């Protein structure tokens, strides 16, 4: 008798990791200025606007970092 293989399909979902916050940061596209990572998006935006007001630099790269957690459905 030949061996048999059992294949099961398990549904997973991805979610925000429960023990980690989303962080935001930004860096100027015209110079080396950058914000510190923060969980407060509005604070990062205010820092960008302040830098723009002082320097007349208008372009910023935003970085959003989140941590994902994959679990089986039903867990």
């Amino acid at each position: 008798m030949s061996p048999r293989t059992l294949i099961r399909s398990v549904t997973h979902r991805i979610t925000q990791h429960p023990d980690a916050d989303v962080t935001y940061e930004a860096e100027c596209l015209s110079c080396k200025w950058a914000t510190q990572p923060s969980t407060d998006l509005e604070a990062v935006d205010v820092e960008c606007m302040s830098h723009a007001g002082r320097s007349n630099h208008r372009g910023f790269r935003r970085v959003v970092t989140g941590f994902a957690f994959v679990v089986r459905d039903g867990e």
Side-chain angles (χ1 to χ4, degrees):
M1 184 177 248
S2 63
R4 293 185 176 188
T5 302
L6 176 63
I7 298 174
R8 291 188 292 170
S9 176
V10 178
T11 305
H12 291 79
R13 60 186 167 85
I14 191 165
T15 185
Q16 175 67 31
H17 195 287
D19 298 327
D21 292 323
V22 174
T23 58
Y24 306 92
E25 52 193 302
E27 53 189 51
C28 181
L29 297 176
S30 299
C31 68
K32 295 183 185 279
W33 178 89
T35 65
Q36 293 294 313
S38 173
T39 58
D40 185 352
L41 175 60
E42 288 184 30
V44 171
D45 286 348
V46 167
E47 288 186 55
C48 290
M49 289 184 281
S50 295
H51 179 72
R54 289 189 307 273
S55 65
N56 202 32
H57 298 165
R58 302 290 182 210
F60 298 88
R61 180 172 76 97
R62 280 188 183 163
V63 179
V64 180
T65 305
F67 295 91
F69 192 63
V70 175
V71 295
R72 288 182 178 177
D73 268 349
E75 286 186 356

